[in-house]
Amino acid sequence: MFVPCDHGGGSAGPDLKGFTLLMPAVSVGNVGQLAIDLVISTLDMTKVGYFYTDCLVPMVGNNPYATAEENSVELSINAEVYSLPSKKLVVLQIRSPFIKNKYRPFCQTLLSWVKSSKCARVVLLSSSHAYQRNDEQLLGTPLRYLLTPDLEKAVGGLMQELNWKEMEKVAAYPGIDDTDKVLHIPGGGITKLLFTESCSKGIQMAVLLKFCSEGDNIPDAFALVNYLNEWLQLIKSEVNTSSQWKIPSSWRLLFGSGLPPALF
């Protein structure tokens, strides 16, 4: 599934042992993908490979993180991997939706790669429909987190210190039996499946998500990436951390601003 870039040093993949894998769920508002864009652009991460998979809609485009005309003509595809060894961080960016009935094969293959590459933990950035919140979820912050049992042992105390709010379970049969509660993430794409699979396979995974609606989701992306930064400290925290994130050049095209000349 993972194919390393050939930078003239052969086809050996990068050593990811002990790294944190950061990735988005393709979910409502594309909030996780936008947040990942900010991380890659700000940290100037290096592309180290891509995922070859039939689970995603095929796509190709210009370099979304172009900084000059010279690198704007580089091509990008639907699933690429970026690395920053100094922070032991590897990022998977997904740029297209899943093909119907391909969720489970993708999750299984991804988690197999996580185990074989010996990544220490996975952080999944996601979102969920704001209009489907229950009464309890309407209170306080629109940001939530989930931890698998294996990661809970390691960082559960830190989440309490940060005063973060865990994603609430909701009644499986509202109005009939309110005692039987389940995890429900409407609009979350692969979030629930990937989380439950990680729980059963003993993989350390955290889900960070934001309740939102479709529209201009750039503010949601900033909120989610700032939430992530409270924990991982990817950039130096200040009162207004939004201004510290570098907006990628591709965001100029989010609302149909025309095609870049370099595409032709």
Side-chain angles (χ1 to χ4, degrees), residues 112-182:
S112 293
W113 177 66
V114 169
K115 282 200 165 186
S116 65
S117 61
K118 299 182 180 179
C119 288
R121 60 190 175 187
V122 182
V123 180
L124 181 68
L125 301 186
S126 184
S127 51
S128 183
H129 284 301
Y131 74 90
Q132 289 193 249
R133 287 174 292 177
N134 63 14
D135 291 347
E136 187 179 6
Q137 291 170 338
L138 288 168
L139 301 174
T141 175
L143 296 158
R144 294 291 189 277
Y145 79 93
L146 285 165
L147 299 176
T148 59
D150 288 79
L151 188 56
E152 174 77 40
K153 298 172 186 175
V155 302
L158 175 60
M159 302 310 186
Q160 298 299 321
E161 290 177 21
L162 291 172
N163 202 27
W164 280 14
K165 200 166 186 179
E166 189 172 6
M167 182 68 171
E168 302 89 346
K169 291 187 175 181
V170 300
Y173 307 102
I176 300 174
D177 180 8
D178 292 336
T179 60
D180 186 12
K181 303 216 169 185
V182 296

Side-chain angles (χ1 to χ4, degrees), residues 12 26 40 102 119 136 163 191 241:
V26 182
I40 295 171
K102 291 288 189 176
C119 288
E136 187 179 6
N163 202 27
T191 305
T241 50

